[in-house]
């Protein structure tokens, strides 16, 4: 039996030397450490031998068992260690590599212009509000002296949502809303100056300078003693701050149903400073906004007394200002959100 045990150990050692993979080891383990292993066979027969030999064989069998299990455990640990090492190597992080830079966003040029204009008017004491893009026919037109059937409605090709609701064609709707609110307040002095800004919509021809959706800033001031001179000063001040201190303005008579008189305001060309170039079609002037004194009819339609209060008003196309300011040729550049285009404005604003 002792011989047999030696043979078992020899066989085991021979086979264990061949082990290359965990699967090989499992195989050897199932032979030498399983329930029916040659060692178990020897131990089973142990009770048939005399006590003297039994002691010897028992000791030898234990020794053999310890050696076999010891080696199996050792190899198992080696495999586990090799596996762990491989895993750690694969997951190695090189801390000396440069990190991934987080790129900072930029402000959209239209927002830059809105912020700049808002800043100018806030400094003059104007409130700033946004407003409703869905608007009733009443506030978009009727309360601005554009009754149903008025020919001037054609100036603003309108998207109708239903018979009484439109996508607002201008931000002047907020003038009507704010004047109506002001009329309802209990305060005796009906003073208010505000600008509103936001998206407006028109069934306009889409070309390089027109889009069916664009952005406006609309402003007004109402109170007791507001004159045309105030309007001229405010617009001149705004244009000088917005473009250049040397910018001049000129006013041409125009027509808007909600203002009387109405003007269109030109500035000296931003490109040639008035000398004449392609941008200003060699006139030296560029049209920039519409304005006027709020028509008495509009004051009245919104519940205020035109013998007590009057006001000035103006409407600015944000895209137009941004195109002139930044030399942008195609209005669609504003809406495509191509980051290569937007990145160019990272040095403007704060
Ligand atoms: N609402 C006009 C438009 O969209 C622009 C405008 C002109 C607004 C004169 C005004 C204004 O407030 O006084 O074409």
């Amino acid at each position: 039996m002792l011989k047999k045990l030696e043979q078992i150990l020899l066989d085991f050692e021979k086979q264990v030397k061949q082990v290359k993979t965990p699967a090989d080891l499992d195989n050897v383990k199932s032979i030498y450490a399983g329930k029916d292993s040659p060692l178990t066979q020897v131990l089973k027969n142990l009770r048939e031998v005399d006590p003297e030999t039994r002691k010897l064989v028992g000791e030898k069998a234990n020794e053999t068992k310890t050696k076999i299990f010891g080696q199996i455990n050792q190899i198992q640990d080696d495999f586990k260690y090799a596996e762990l090492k491989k895993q750690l190597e694969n997951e190695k992080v090189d801390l000396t590599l440069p990190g991934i830079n987080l790129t900072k966003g930029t402000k959209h040029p239209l927002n830059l212009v809105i912020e700049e204009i808002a800043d100018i008017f806030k400094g003059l004491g104007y409130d700033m509000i946004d407003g409703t893009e869905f608007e009733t026919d009443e506030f978009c037109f009727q309360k601005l002296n554009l009754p149903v059937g008025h020919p001037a409605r054609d100036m603003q090709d309108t998207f109708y949502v239903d018979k009484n609701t439109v996508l607002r064609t201008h931000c002047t709707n907020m003038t009507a809303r704010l004047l109506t609110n002001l009329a309802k307040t209990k305060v005796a002095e009906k003073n208010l100056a505000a600008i509103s800004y936001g998206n407006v919509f028109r069934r306009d021809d889409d070309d390089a300078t027109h889009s069916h959706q664009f952005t406006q800033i609309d402003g007004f001031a109402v109170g007791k003693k507001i004159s045309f001179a105030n309007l001229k000063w405010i617009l001149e001040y705004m244009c000088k701050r917005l473009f250049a201190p040397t910018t001049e303005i000129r006013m041409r008579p125009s027509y808007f149903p909600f203002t009387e008189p109405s003007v269109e305001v030109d500035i000296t060309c931003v490109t040639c400073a008035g000398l004449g170039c392609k941008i200003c079609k060699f006139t030296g002037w560029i049209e920039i906004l519409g304005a006027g004194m709020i028509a008495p009819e509009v004051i009245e339609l919104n519940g205020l007394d035109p013998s007590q209060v009057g006001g000035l008003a103006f409407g600015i196309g944000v895209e137009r200002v941004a195109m002139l300011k930044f030399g942008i040729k195609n209005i669609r550049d504003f809406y495509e959100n191509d980051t290569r285009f937007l990145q160019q404005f990272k040095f403007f604003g704060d």
Side-chain angles (χ1 to χ4, degrees):
M1 279 180 117
L2 287 172
K3 273 240 158 70
K4 199 156 187 197
L5 285 172
E6 264 167 31
Q7 191 57 47
I8 291 172
L9 193 60
L10 280 174
D11 290 349
F12 168 75
E13 278 172 349
K14 209 162 119 195
Q15 286 209 37
V16 115
K17 270 197 194 127
Q18 319 272 329
V19 167
K20 297 227 159 47
T21 64
D24 295 343
L25 182 69
D26 281 347
N27 201 21
V28 173
K29 206 168 141 185
S30 71
I31 300 170
Y32 290 94
K35 258 202 282 172
D36 300 321
S37 71
L39 191 65
T40 330
Q41 297 304 328
V42 173
L43 291 172
K44 259 187 198 159
N45 296 332
L46 205 58
R47 42 184 114 89
E48 280 146 36
V49 294
D50 62 277
E52 197 62 18
T53 331
R54 193 186 300 164
K55 197 175 164 233
L56 274 175
V57 174
E59 273 171 12
K60 186 78 179 163
N62 267 339
E63 199 184 297
T64 312
K65 192 177 168 186
T66 315
K67 280 187 180 161
I68 290 176
F69 277 81
Q71 282 200 57
I72 287 176
N73 286 342
Q74 179 64 47
I75 298 171
Q76 216 159 21
D77 286 351
D78 289 351
F79 277 134
K80 270 194 205 151
Y81 178 71
E83 176 67 20
L84 186 66
K85 210 170 141 197
K86 207 164 103 190
Q87 206 177 334
L88 288 176
E89 254 158 34
N90 284 344
E91 288 171 5
K92 201 157 63 180
V93 177
D94 184 351
L95 295 176
T96 63
L97 284 176
I100 300 165
N101 274 344
L102 288 179
T103 48
K104 214 170 135 202
T106 51
K107 277 189 186 162
H108 194 282
L110 293 178
N111 286 336
L112 286 173
V113 169
I114 290 173
E115 279 180 16
E116 203 177 339
I117 296 177
D119 205 45
I120 296 168
F121 281 101
K122 275 186 212 158
L124 293 172
Y126 282 65
D127 288 339
M128 166 120 173
I129 43 155
D130 57 11
T132 42
E133 290 177 5
F134 276 96
E135 187 52 287
T136 56
D137 188 280
E138 186 188 10
F139 280 103
C140 197
F141 297 127
Q142 292 167 40
K143 288 202 172 222
L144 290 168
N145 199 24
L146 275 156
V148 178
H150 193 290
R153 281 192 180 212
D154 292 348
M155 277 161 66
Q156 306 192 354
D157 276 337
T158 311
F159 285 115
Y160 278 89
V161 178
D162 60 39
K163 212 169 131 259
N164 295 314
T165 320
V166 299
L167 292 181
R168 67 169 169 194
T169 53
H170 52 186
C171 283
T172 322
N173 69 322
M174 292 313 292
T175 305
R177 284 195 172 268
L178 291 173
L179 288 182
T180 301
N181 277 354
L182 181 67
K184 286 185 194 148
T185 58
K186 295 258 172 342
V187 287
E189 295 274 311
K190 305 288 190 197
N191 292 326
L192 184 63
I195 55 168
S196 63
Y197 67 98
N199 296 324
V200 298
F201 308 84
R202 288 189 200 175
R203 290 193 298 119
D204 235 330
D205 279 346
D206 280 349
D207 61 26
T209 55
H210 291 87
S211 158
H212 58 276
Q213 179 189 321
F214 53 104
T215 323
Q216 279 190 340
I217 292 187
D218 213 281
F220 72 91
V222 287
K224 255 206 155 90
K225 285 185 187 155
I226 292 184
S227 69
F228 194 84
N230 297 141
L231 175 68
K232 183 168 176 259
W233 183 90
I234 282 166
L235 295 178
E236 198 167 41
Y237 173 74
M238 181 197 78
C239 291
K240 281 182 188 295
R241 277 198 49 185
L242 200 54
F243 295 101
T246 49
T247 305
E248 301 283 331
I249 68 165
R250 93 177 167 184
M251 290 173 149
R252 284 180 287 109
S254 184
Y255 172 75
F256 298 107
F258 28 87
T259 44
E260 181 57 38
S262 303
V263 289
E264 233 137 3
V265 178
D266 299 339
I267 55 166
T268 40
C269 178
V270 288
T271 311
C272 64
L275 295 173
C277 69
K278 248 194 190 156
I279 304 281
C280 59
K281 300 198 180 83
F282 298 95
T283 62
W285 295 97
I286 285 186
E287 186 193 319
I288 191 88
L289 55 89
M293 301 307 289
I294 301 175
E297 292 88 338
V298 172
I299 299 280
E300 196 163 1
L301 280 165
N302 289 285
L304 292 164
D305 180 354
S307 69
Q308 297 300 310
V309 290
L312 57 84
F314 49 88
I316 308 165
V318 178
E319 278 82 351
R320 182 151 176 79
V321 171
M323 286 171 96
L324 290 170
K325 220 172 139 63
F326 301 124
I328 295 162
K329 299 260 166 356
N330 194 327
I331 199 167
R332 246 144 294 278
D333 286 340
F334 292 124
Y335 314 125
E336 276 165 5
N337 285 334
D338 184 330
T339 49
R340 289 168 302 178
F341 169 75
L342 296 175
Q343 279 293 321
Q344 299 176 90
F345 302 94
K346 65 179 163 202
F347 301 115
F348 292 96
D350 40 275

